[in-house]
Amino acid sequence: MNKINPIILKLNEQLDMPQPAKARFILEIALDMKDYIDLCLKKGMEENEALKIAQEKFVPTQQTLQQLNELHFNFYKRWFSRLSQQIQNRWEKIMLIILILVIGFSTFITISSASFFENSSPFLWPVIFLAVFSIIIAFTKLYTLYIKQDHSPRHLNNWLELLLFLTGMILLVGVFGYFYDLYATNTMALFLDTHLSVILVNSNDFNELIKMFNRWDIRSASLLMISMASFSINLFLWFVINSKIIKTEQQELSVFLD
Amino acid sequence: MALPVFETQNLTKNCNESLILAILFKENKHGYQIALDIEENSNGQFKFNHGTLYPILHKLENDKLIKGTWKQEGPKRKRKYYAITSAGKKYIQAELSEWRKFAENFFMIIEEIEK
């Protein structure tokens, strides 16, 4: 197997696809190449000759390499892969953890106040449901990777895209809910403006009106806060899981090359 | 999955896809075995360069016509085996009738020289 290492290393450099896909493809091609070389040797061919033919037969051309890269690395995958690979430095990781803790803590303090759920936006509940669901998925994945240590390539990337999808949905529902509330509040304000003389009989009524707008502001802001916090925490969990998967795949590849 | 489109510029692509799907129809195989079986079963007529085989396999997998599964082979070795999916079976059956039509039309023209 050591003889094919230079070919595999060169292929590793040429492939521009996510590490997990790359590791699996290299593993696949290397095992097939080894079988082919074994067959050639069995037929009485010399090792160097067998190696040369195997290289000609197995190493993809520039055109097929490009096809493979495009197949495995679309714009969305490329962007997220770069994002998770760039934050690998220890200090960057620490900064990221601190940032998430600050967001999580400040959100927790706000949520724990008694008035938070009293005037909640109807969009808050889907956001909470999505956040809880994605956290269950993330923790199940973390349990599988770190405690159960199931590193089988078949299951390694399971749930990862769903986690990203839920993260996106949280942000989408939150932002949509915020603008919906804003729209509803302002539509109501316009309605009241035309009927103000009927509604505002005394100064107490005016104060109530101001309070009503305050409550609307608070509920829209709290919805957006919960969405942003859940979004950040989910992205952080995705980053941790994805980094672990990349590391596992790299280990798998290096064990194989050894 | 859309049904196969037979045009002269797609012939190589359709031919490669049909050969791979047909070879996988009865048994699950890994990449090297697929290429070897196609070569043997065609008496050496269809020789697959592995460099071109993998992009086709991965594309078929992306299109959900075949499914790749890593299986343990020996104590330390894992191997990726490909299996045809139900969508793949439907696709190859549609391709088969398209190939028949293609061959009929092709020979209808070519055999004119013998008449």
Side-chain angles (χ1 to χ4, degrees), chain B residues 41-79:
Chain B
N41 293 359
S42 67
N43 300 317
Q45 175 92 58
F46 301 114
K47 279 183 187 163
F48 257 102
N49 191 335
H50 287 71
T52 54
L53 175 72
Y54 298 109
I56 303 169
L57 283 174
H58 289 213
K59 193 195 163 288
L60 289 173
E61 199 181 2
N62 251 19
D63 293 342
K64 303 204 184 322
L65 297 177
I66 60 172
K67 190 172 184 260
T69 315
W70 287 87
K71 280 186 186 165
Q72 198 75 34
E73 203 181 57
K76 278 188 174 180
R77 230 166 91 132
K78 273 178 183 171
R79 205 75 197 259

Side-chain angles (χ1 to χ4, degrees), chain A residues 24-25 27-29 31-32 34-36 39 56-60 64 67-68 71-72 152-154, chain B residues 30-32 36 39 48-52 54-55 57-59 62 67 69-70 77-80 82:
Chain A
R24 276 198 288 275
F25 176 64
L27 194 64
E28 187 183 2
I29 202 168
L31 288 169
D32 282 355
K34 192 187 171 297
D35 274 2
Y36 182 78
L39 187 78
E56 283 168 9
K57 218 171 160 57
F58 282 84
V59 174
T64 46
Q67 280 174 354
L68 273 168
L71 204 64
H72 288 282
S152 70
R154 196 181 167 190
Chain B
H30 55 75
Y32 171 65
L36 209 65
E39 197 174 327
F48 257 102
N49 191 335
H50 287 71
T52 54
Y54 298 109
L57 283 174
H58 289 213
K59 193 195 163 288
N62 251 19
K67 190 172 184 260
T69 315
W70 287 87
R77 230 166 91 132
K78 273 178 183 171
R79 205 75 197 259
K80 192 176 183 182
Y82 292 96

